[in-house]
Amino acid sequence: MVTTGSSSFPNHAVAAVTVLLLVTGCTSLERNPVPIDAMGRAVIPGMPDVRDWGDEPSPHFQEDLVQSVRDEWEATGSVGGGMEALLLSGGGSNGAFGAGVLSGWSEAGNRPAFKLVTGVSTGALAAPFAFLGPDYDEALEQLFTTVTSKDVYKIRNPLTVLRKDSLTRTDPLAEKIKQVFDVAMMQKIAAEHQRGRRLYVGTTNLDAQRLVVWNMGAIAASGRPGSLELFRQVLLASASIPVAFPPVYINVEVDGARYDEMHVDGGVIAEFFLWGATVNIASAQRELGVDAAQRGKASIYIIRNGQIDPAPEQVERNLVDIASRSMITLLKAVAMGDLIRVWALAQRDGVDFNYIGIPPENAETPAGAFDPSEMRRLFDLGRRLALEPEPWNKEPPSFIQ
């Protein structure tokens, strides 16, 4: 649930320990990683088609896209009713802003029933609520306005940290995920998946240095033993910023042999994602026989749980502050690159583009602080903006015009 986005723990701690590791090195813990030449063949046992790389064409996701339209036709009798996609970014405790936007959007009465919802990091935790619709707004508000740091992580003993894989333990967050994402919620996600809607979450495979996109509805609908545990593991992994939080080790199989993959925060690679290189929309339309006259208008809505604009600040002349500020700046640049890329895809494919983020005149909350009063402030801000007549920006910031 933490993505570095403003100065706080874990930003300063991550920067400090990163520098320390570069200087001192550390011992390695045991694991059983996938051989490098086999990484592209690793699958989840019993669920081989529930995920794929997010940076190359995916036969699994291409087939699933076509099937999703067929499922929608069968469920609704509608042909080409348009596609609304919601993209939720990382941002740690700033995820309260996105929760507020969704709540206000429901209140405004014009929130779509999204065909596709994607999320990374704190956005991954919000995505199942957004996917299931306004009936889950109250639960989403509760999660993002009452959680505290002790509900997310426990700081390790500094004397032992160099013998561990993170600064903190995330047992509290894992327990919170277990409480919130239960069997009943999984069943509802599975039902919506079978109606042709899709829920995707992104994690970073740190071994491969690649984004992995998980089809969460397919996991929920698989009926396989361990599917609920995998669903929760993926959410935890997507919210686990490396160094600050421990990676999530996901068991996989290659040619019958068992290994583990190291997964961390999806925001390491992408602050938000859509179809990108994964699927070919035009090819899917040709296969389905859907022409332009049959298709409704497709729309993308991006909720950025943070600020995209530069935030000038006088940086203290010390190693930790310089390292922390550099990390924050890097992640903001990643978010801007993602925004421009999705905007370019929308322009190419004739898709309506919509973006909202925390305005520069409104302060972010420290991403790892989890102060309920600050999270309430951001929730109320998001809700208020969503109730305005025209809350969405139709293009990225003006410097690219």
Side-chain angles (χ1 to χ4, degrees):
M1 200 168 181
V2 174
T3 298
T4 47
S6 54
S7 184
S8 70
F9 178 83
N11 292 331
H12 278 76
V14 169
V17 171
T18 299
V19 172
L20 182 62
L21 295 180
L22 289 173
V23 174
T24 66
C26 64
T27 58
S28 294
L29 303 172
E30 282 191 21
R31 58 174 302 223
N32 183 30
V34 179
I36 292 173
D37 60 359
M39 288 179 179
R41 295 185 287 115
V43 298
I44 303 299
M47 291 181 276
D49 299 335
V50 298
R51 65 171 198 168
D52 218 328
W53 302 120
D55 56 2
E56 68 180 20
S58 167
H60 298 325
F61 278 67
Q62 186 71 19
E63 182 179 340
D64 183 69
L65 173 66
V66 173
Q67 187 59 46
S68 76
V69 176
R70 290 177 175 147
D71 290 343
E72 186 178 16
W73 289 348
E74 184 175 338
T76 67
S78 173
V79 178
M83 184 189 84
E84 288 84 18
L86 174 68
L87 286 56
L88 299 172
S89 85
S93 54
N94 290 293
F97 171 78
V101 170
L102 289 165
S103 179
W105 201 354
S106 298
E107 194 174 337
N110 56 359
R111 175 175 159 183
F114 303 107
K115 168 74 171 176
L116 170 67
V117 177
T118 76
V120 298
S121 197
T122 195
L125 298 179
F129 296 93
F131 180 73
L132 291 176
D135 288 347
Y136 279 78
D137 284 353
E138 186 175 342
L140 182 63
E141 178 180 356
Q142 175 76 9
L143 179 64
F144 278 91
T145 59
T146 64
V147 69
T148 65
S149 297
K150 69 179 182 180
D151 298 316
V152 179
Y153 57 80
K154 294 179 180 178
I155 299 176
R156 295 188 190 275
N157 184 333
L159 297 178
T160 67
V161 73
L162 291 182
R163 298 193 299 272
K164 304 296 182 180
D165 56 3
S166 64
L167 292 172
T168 72
R169 293 166 44 200
T170 49
D171 309 60
L173 179 56
E175 183 59 31
K176 176 67 71 173
I177 288 172
K178 184 177 180 180
Q179 291 171 4
V180 172
F181 300 98
D182 57 12
V183 172
M185 195 171 190
M186 278 270 289
Q187 290 173 339
K188 291 182 180 179
I189 289 170
E192 291 304 312
H193 177 83
Q194 290 162 348
R195 289 173 56 85
R197 300 177 63 226
R198 293 296 182 262
L199 171 63
Y200 297 157
V201 162
T203 65
T204 297
N205 181 325
L206 206 55
D207 294 314
Q209 290 190 322
R210 298 177 72 180
L211 180 71
V212 176
V213 178
W214 299 81
N215 188 334
M216 304 299 280
I219 295 172
S222 70
R224 298 290 302 183
S227 57
L228 178 56
E229 179 184 359
L230 177 63
F231 192 98
R232 292 166 173 167
Q233 275 191 304
V234 172
L235 293 180
L236 180 61
S238 189
S240 295
I241 185 167
V243 182
F245 289 178
V248 174
Y249 299 93
I250 295 179
N251 293 325
V252 296
E253 188 176 84
V254 180
D255 301 330
R258 295 296 180 98
Y259 301 97
D260 65 65
E261 291 177 341
M262 182 185 289
H263 286 260
V264 299
D265 193 333
V268 170
I269 289 181
E271 275 288 279
F272 39 79
F273 67 93
L274 189 56
W275 49 76
T278 308
V279 297
N280 186 318
I281 301 295
S283 175
Q285 290 168 345
R286 287 194 298 271
E287 182 174 345
L288 290 161
V290 178
D291 58 29
Q294 292 174 297
R295 298 196 305 270
K297 181 67 173 178
S299 299
I300 297 170
Y301 297 90
I302 299 171
I303 299 178
R304 161 73 172 148
N305 292 303
Q307 295 173 342
I308 204 79
D309 305 271
E313 179 181 300
Q314 293 178 323
V315 181
E316 294 293 327
R317 188 179 176 180
N318 64 67
L319 191 61
V320 172
D321 279 2
I322 292 170
S324 178
R325 180 69 168 175
S326 298
M327 186 180 298
I328 293 165
T329 302
L330 174 63
L331 289 170
K332 185 171 286 192
V334 169
M336 178 60 77
D338 290 337
L339 184 64
I340 294 172
R341 184 177 68 252
V342 174
W343 174 79
L345 283 170
Q347 294 293 301
R348 182 196 70 184
D349 295 338
V351 174
D352 179 41
F353 177 90
N354 302 272
Y355 164 80
I356 192 170
I358 298 175
E361 64 272 16
N362 295 96
E364 297 176 296
T365 183
F370 298 99
D371 178 349
S373 63
E374 279 293 288
M375 294 166 75
R376 168 56 65 182
R377 175 182 64 82
L378 284 177
F379 179 91
D380 291 342
L381 170 65
R383 176 181 171 276
R384 186 169 66 251
L385 291 177
L387 287 169
E388 292 182 356
E390 296 182 3
W392 299 95
N393 298 295
K394 304 303 290 185
E395 55 190 11
S398 59
F399 77 86
I400 71 165
Q401 294 181 6

